[in-house]
Amino acid sequence: MTDIIQLLPDHVANQIAAGEVVQRPASVVKELLENAIDAEADEIKLIIKDAGKTLVQVIDNGKGMSVTDARLSFERHATSKIKSAEDLFQLNTKGFRGEALASIAAIAHVELKTKRPSDELGTAIEIEGSTVKSQEVAVTPTGTSVAVKNLFFNIPARRNFLKSDTVELRHITDEFHRVALAHPNIAFAFYHNGSELFNLPKENYRQRVVHIFGSKTNEKLVPVEEETEVLKISGFVGKPEYSKKTRMEQFFFVNQRFIKSPYLNHAISAAFEGLLKDGYHASYFLNLTVDPKTIDINIHPTKTEIKFDDEHTLYAILRSSVKHSLGQFNIAPVLDFEHQDQFNTPYSYKDKVGKTPTIEVDRSFNPFADDTVSSGSSSKSTSFKTSFKPTPSTHWESLYVGLESKGNSGKADSVEVNFEKEVKTETIFSDASVETSKTTFQLQQKYIVSTLKSGMLVIDQNRAHQRVLYESFLKHITIKQATSQQLLFPLQLSFTPNEINIISELQEDLEHTGFVFSDVKKETITITGVPVGVPESEVSIILEQLISDVENDVPDANFSAADLLAKSMAKSLAIKNGQVLNNTEQEHLVNSLFACKEPNVSPSNRPTFITMSTDDIEKKFM
């Protein structure tokens, strides 16, 4: 038999590697931006067209490459970052694997222009699907420009799996945020389809955070600074009252590299314990500096996962540092037993001398004694001063003025008793009469139990109400007719630029549900009308939930956007478990549920009710 194992051609191996390195246009953006940073550039431009599907271009003013380096940079495992295995434990650069450019060139059209400061002319290379089409001398500024066009042109199946432009642009923006936050000493510019999205100058870390997430962010930040032999921490955490339902404002940077670490995130959550509402997450922008020898970055090609030598120590230091900052800046509640403002003496009493209160006690007083006894004993009693003065007996005796004589007292008593019996509420609204009219009852303030001809019906009140509201909102969005209630005073809400973009994209659908927007600015929105039945206090919660749902499950088409909006609003406004419903509300919910087109499942495809037949119940007693 002939040998069957053979080496794969380089272009095939590159395409296989590209599947792991380049998952979407945002992956290309990340790799090119990190290469520009490794080239010691201090000004970087990112140019995007059609959310990266048509063009991803990064222009930097770094040190550039020679002719040989420019051609060799597209070979697999060719890198200038490391030379031996020992260098993996002394990494001071973003890249080191030598796979990015080779993987990108295997699945796209790439144009590279580069020039070193010492060279008069630069080099221009064009590559399509790992094949070099041209290489020539070119006039170009100092630095490097890499343009990636027609991503996944030779892998149509992979291209078809890309999401809408809105989704892909959001992923690109997230990668841009991560790189820009890690390097505030570098100027960044971001353009999409000819419009400028970000223009970040060289600045300090606080200014960089504010420029990316909006001017309102400045008042939300609490500084965190700590330096030990093991770890150095710098950055900011958000105040608890500005916590969000999303995790979009959570950033860990280890040696200026963005990472994801659920373990360290738990340390932050532990520091905020007791300060956050359920379902809300703290914001943080923290830079951690550790010895490169104590971490291993070579876990995954995306390099967002890191292994630490001593995670427990880092956890303890991080948690205590954040708690210290919250206490230092009076964010966490504290008890000061030495001084309390409410214990201060008012100015009007500062010169007054305290007096000992006088006490008067009438030891012979007996409220149950008759007039003769009390009057006879009053002469013999010894009086003591007291602040308590008993009510004169004439006051309570006056209650009996107008009653008949003692001879007719029995008759009066009987009439009064009979009268009370006639107006007793339990004879009119007895438990028996209420029970006979009830067709439903609430179980543990979570389920509604009703009877059927064949047995018993148990309904989850939260899921059932979600289904009712979902179909109602979806109907309003579809037919574009909804009733709105005008607010007496306009409601102004603040959001980050990224969140404002999400609301702007869904503004038309929101207006079809009943929202009325009078103004949408870069960081604030003004609402003058809300859907009927939506409290003004719930508006910010609804929009935050909507933003959270969009970021976690972004729609790809207009119908999906309307569907997601209806689901999100239904989830925010639905009756919560634990809410008490009276009999009328229970019956209305049951009737509304079975009037829906799909009463069996909630908007998230979970069952809204279960049925138990008489046979099922009888089997329980066998």
Side-chain angles (χ1 to χ4, degrees):
M1 292 181 64
T2 58
D3 298 332
I4 60 175
I5 296 178
Q6 58 183 345
L7 286 174
L8 289 174
D10 286 342
H11 70 279
V12 176
N14 288 339
Q15 282 194 15
I16 294 172
E20 195 172 30
V21 177
V22 183
Q23 300 170 356
R24 58 194 338 145
S27 305
V28 178
V29 171
K30 174 182 181 294
E31 298 294 344
L32 296 184
L33 287 177
E34 290 183 347
N35 282 345
I37 293 170
D38 287 340
E40 300 175 2
D42 60 0
E43 291 182 5
I44 301 175
K45 289 183 181 179
L46 172 61
I47 302 172
I48 302 294
K49 286 186 180 179
D50 299 330
K53 299 173 184 177
T54 303
L55 173 68
V56 175
Q57 185 175 9
V58 173
I59 305 172
D60 67 68
N61 63 347
K63 55 188 179 183
M65 291 181 285
S66 65
V67 178
T68 305
D69 288 343
R71 180 63 179 270
L72 194 60
S73 64
F74 290 98
E75 298 295 328
R76 282 193 77 200
H77 307 306
T79 179
S80 62
K81 316 298 173 59
I82 63 173
K83 295 182 179 179
S84 63
E86 288 73 17
D87 294 338
L88 288 172
F89 302 100
Q90 290 290 342
L91 286 174
N92 295 309
T93 57
K94 302 293 182 185
F96 56 87
R97 299 170 67 99
E99 291 181 320
L101 286 179
S103 299
I104 294 170
I107 55 174
H109 298 166
V110 180
E111 294 180 3
L112 170 69
K113 293 182 180 180
T114 183
K115 184 178 84 71
R116 296 180 299 182
S118 58
D119 296 336
E120 293 184 0
L121 295 173
T123 304
I125 298 178
E126 292 186 8
I127 299 179
E128 296 180 5
S130 297
T131 303
V132 179
K133 295 296 182 180
S134 67
Q135 177 176 343
E136 56 189 13
V137 177
V139 177
T140 182
T142 299
T144 303
S145 170
V146 182
V148 179
K149 303 177 181 179
N150 304 321
L151 194 65
F152 300 125
F153 79 99
N154 53 356
I155 312 178
R158 190 69 176 273
R159 188 177 180 88
N160 292 335
F161 275 106
L162 293 178
K163 303 295 184 180
S164 65
D165 288 357
T166 304
V167 180
E168 296 301 339
L169 179 61
R170 191 163 296 122
H171 284 287
I172 291 173
T173 305
D174 289 342
E175 291 294 347
F176 178 81
H177 286 170
R178 294 167 182 176
V179 176
L181 282 172
H183 301 276
N185 58 327
I186 299 177
F188 288 91
F190 182 10
Y191 302 89
H192 179 247
N193 290 343
S195 62
E196 181 182 272
L197 299 185
F198 290 95
N199 193 348
L200 308 174
K202 300 177 184 178
E203 52 198 346
N204 61 38
Y205 192 52
R206 189 184 193 108
Q207 292 171 331
R208 178 58 56 89
V209 172
V210 171
H211 280 161
I212 290 179
F213 294 100
S215 57
K216 293 288 184 180
T217 310
N218 190 37
E219 63 190 41
K220 307 175 184 179
L221 301 179
V222 179
V224 178
E225 296 286 342
E226 189 66 49
E227 186 171 0
T228 66
E229 296 179 355
V230 180
L231 173 68
K232 178 182 179 182
I233 304 173
S234 64
F236 304 93
V237 295
K239 295 179 181 178
E241 58 264 32
Y242 297 108
S243 58
K244 295 179 176 292
K245 285 194 172 184
T246 65
R247 299 180 182 270
M248 299 305 293
E249 294 185 5
Q250 296 185 342
F251 295 89
F252 274 125
F253 301 99
V254 175
N255 295 353
Q256 294 187 316
R257 183 191 302 276
F258 172 80
I259 68 160
K260 296 178 181 178
S261 175
Y263 186 69
L264 295 183
N265 178 73
H266 189 272
I268 303 295
S269 301
F272 277 88
E273 185 178 3
L275 301 178
L276 299 177
K277 294 183 288 186
D278 289 340
Y280 283 77
H281 308 283
S283 302
Y284 54 80
F285 314 88
L286 295 176
N287 297 296
L288 312 180
T289 305
V290 298
D291 188 348
K293 296 180 180 179
T294 63
I295 58 176
D296 184 6
I297 304 170
N298 191 23
I299 305 298
H300 191 271
T302 59
K303 297 183 284 291
T304 57
E305 299 177 19
I306 289 184
K307 292 292 184 183
F308 296 94
D309 275 358
D310 191 358
E311 282 187 329
H312 298 290
T313 302
L314 299 183
Y315 182 100
I317 296 174
L318 184 60
R319 178 177 175 272
S320 60
S321 300
V322 173
K323 280 188 81 73
H324 175 71
S325 293
L326 293 175
Q328 182 180 4
F329 292 95
N330 295 324
I331 305 301
V334 295
L335 287 176
D336 186 358
F337 292 100
E338 297 180 358
H339 178 76
Q340 289 285 352
D341 291 340
Q342 59 265 35
F343 295 154
N344 289 345
T345 304
Y347 287 114
S348 57
Y349 288 85
K350 65 178 182 178
D351 296 327
K352 292 186 178 181
V353 180
K355 297 180 180 179
T356 303
T358 57
I359 302 175
E360 296 180 359
V361 178
D362 185 1
R363 296 188 181 276
S364 63
F365 175 71
N366 183 0
F368 302 102
D370 55 15
D371 295 341
T372 56
V373 177
S374 60
S375 59
S377 60
S378 59
S379 59
K380 300 179 182 179
S381 62
T382 304
S383 297
F384 297 90
K385 290 185 178 181
T386 178
S387 58
F388 172 77
K389 295 182 179 180
T391 304
S393 60
T394 55
H395 286 192
W396 58 267
E397 284 182 346
S398 63
L399 298 174
Y400 297 93
V401 174
L403 294 180
E404 297 184 10
S405 61
K406 291 184 179 181
N408 298 328
S409 60
K411 183 179 179 181
D413 291 340
S414 64
V415 172
E416 186 174 353
V417 170
N418 292 335
F419 177 76
E420 286 186 355
K421 285 184 179 180
E422 289 175 359
V423 298
K424 284 174 68 177
T425 56
E426 52 265 31
T427 60
I428 299 175
F429 302 103
S430 63
D431 294 339
S433 63
V434 174
E435 288 297 329
T436 55
S437 65
K438 288 186 68 174
T439 59
T440 62
F441 69 91
Q442 197 175 21
L443 178 63
Q444 295 185 346
Q445 300 177 3
K446 183 177 181 180
Y447 303 103
I448 297 174
V449 182
S450 183
T451 56
L452 295 171
K453 290 183 179 179
S454 59
M456 184 172 63
L457 178 72
V458 182
I459 301 173
D460 187 306
Q461 65 183 34
N462 176 258
R463 295 181 185 177
H465 200 214
Q466 281 191 42
R467 165 53 65 176
V468 174
L469 293 176
Y470 166 71
E471 293 198 4
S472 174
F473 287 132
L474 198 59
K475 179 181 177 182
H476 290 322
I477 296 172
T478 305
I479 65 176
K480 300 182 180 179
Q481 291 181 357
T483 307
S484 176
Q485 59 183 10
Q486 297 299 306
L487 299 176
L488 185 60
F489 300 102
L491 182 63
Q492 190 175 59
L493 302 174
S494 299
F495 294 97
T496 66
N498 192 33
E499 293 171 341
I500 292 291
N501 291 336
I502 295 174
I503 295 175
S504 299
E505 293 163 7
L506 298 173
Q507 181 176 347
E508 185 177 353
D509 290 328
L510 283 168
E511 289 173 345
H512 293 157
T513 64
F515 283 98
V516 179
F517 297 89
S518 64
D519 193 12
V520 178
K521 295 182 179 179
K522 188 176 181 181
E523 297 179 9
T524 60
I525 61 171
T526 304
I527 298 174
T528 57
V530 296
V532 174
V534 175
E536 183 179 343
S537 58
E538 295 283 334
V539 173
S540 61
I541 299 174
I542 293 172
L543 294 179
E544 285 181 10
Q545 181 67 53
L546 175 62
I547 292 169
S548 173
D549 292 339
V550 169
E551 289 173 342
N552 294 328
D553 183 19
V554 186
D556 297 333
N558 289 332
F559 177 77
S560 297
D563 184 71
L564 180 66
L565 174 59
K567 286 181 180 178
S568 180
M569 291 184 62
K571 183 164 59 176
S572 300
L573 296 173
I575 297 169
K576 303 297 186 289
N577 292 329
Q579 184 172 340
V580 179
L581 303 177
N582 60 38
N583 190 39
T584 304
E585 292 170 337
Q586 296 170 24
E587 291 181 357
H588 178 71
L589 180 58
V590 174
N591 295 333
S592 300
L593 174 64
F594 289 102
C596 294
K597 294 181 179 179
E598 293 289 341
N600 296 327
V601 293
S602 69
S604 55
N605 289 323
R606 295 182 177 180
T608 56
F609 64 87
I610 60 171
T611 57
M612 293 184 67
S613 65
T614 308
D615 294 337
D616 293 335
I617 298 175
E618 288 178 353
K619 290 178 182 178
K620 301 291 183 182
F621 292 94
M622 289 184 175

